[in-house]
Amino acid sequence: MTTAPAENLTTRVPGRAWTVRLTGHSDRTASVTCTSPCKMPARSRDLASLRAFAARHAAAHAKAATVRPDAACHCRSERCDAHPGHKTLCAGGVVMILRHDPVIGQVWIVEEVCATCAPHIPHARVLARAAAPARPAATRPSAQTPAPPHPGVPNLFSSAHTAADAGADTVRRPRKPHRRPRRQG
């Protein structure tokens, strides 16, 4: 995969990922595991309830985590193995995705990736986007800074109209009644 370094790697934090896995055992029971230290139910023969618990658990991780705008693409840290065959440059805003292949149905992955990689990851659904970073105070418009004056454009068209333009002399044309052209033939 072709990857480019992020704009400033020193300010980026590693992208997070949580993997919830349903594992079958030889005694015909199954268990749910999570990559973070979470309390999981005991082994059970009820595969349907464990599968539902795993899906809810992955959704809970996604809901509890706030997407960090300074996170690096988790996909890039894995050398873009999540989307083989697609050459991308990791860039753009950070999104939280949920990967789950319904055919396999045993692994749910919640991760922070860049907006460029997200559409190329199969069976991924974007759950949340990072909030736009706040602009530095130097570039933020201040309430004390006056607005730039509008040039003297006559109000003949739908241009910006200000209180200063209200008293300006404008030429208004009377409306002509609309007439349909006659059909010939």
Side-chain angles (χ1 to χ4, degrees), residues 3 10 21-22 30 34 64 71 76 79 86 91 97 102 122 125 133 148-149 169 172 183 185:
T3 57
T10 58
R21 186 178 311 270
L22 183 64
C34 181
R76 181 171 182 233
R79 293 193 166 77
H86 294 282
I97 63 166
R125 181 172 46 132
D169 292 332
R172 295 191 184 245
R183 284 190 180 179

Side-chain angles (χ1 to χ4, degrees), residues 179-185:
R179 293 187 184 166
R180 289 188 181 192
R182 284 186 139 186
R183 284 190 180 179
Q184 296 196 9

Side-chain angles (χ1 to χ4, degrees), residues 17-100:
W18 297 270
T19 303
V20 179
R21 186 178 311 270
L22 183 64
T23 307
H25 303 286
S26 60
D27 62 350
R28 296 186 185 216
T29 61
S31 61
V32 178
T33 59
C34 181
T35 55
S36 67
C38 300
K39 184 173 173 120
M40 295 289 134
R43 281 184 174 192
S44 174
R45 290 183 184 263
D46 188 3
L47 190 61
S49 68
L50 288 178
R51 184 174 283 132
F53 173 82
R56 285 191 315 268
H57 187 74
H61 274 297
K63 186 176 180 180
T66 303
V67 185
R68 302 171 301 171
D70 60 343
C73 182
H74 183 263
C75 178
R76 181 171 182 233
S77 69
E78 301 292 320
R79 293 193 166 77
C80 295
D81 285 339
H83 55 87
H86 294 282
K87 293 183 179 185
T88 62
L89 298 173
C90 291
V94 181
V95 297
M96 176 95 48
I97 63 166
L98 170 66
R99 284 194 297 159
H100 175 67

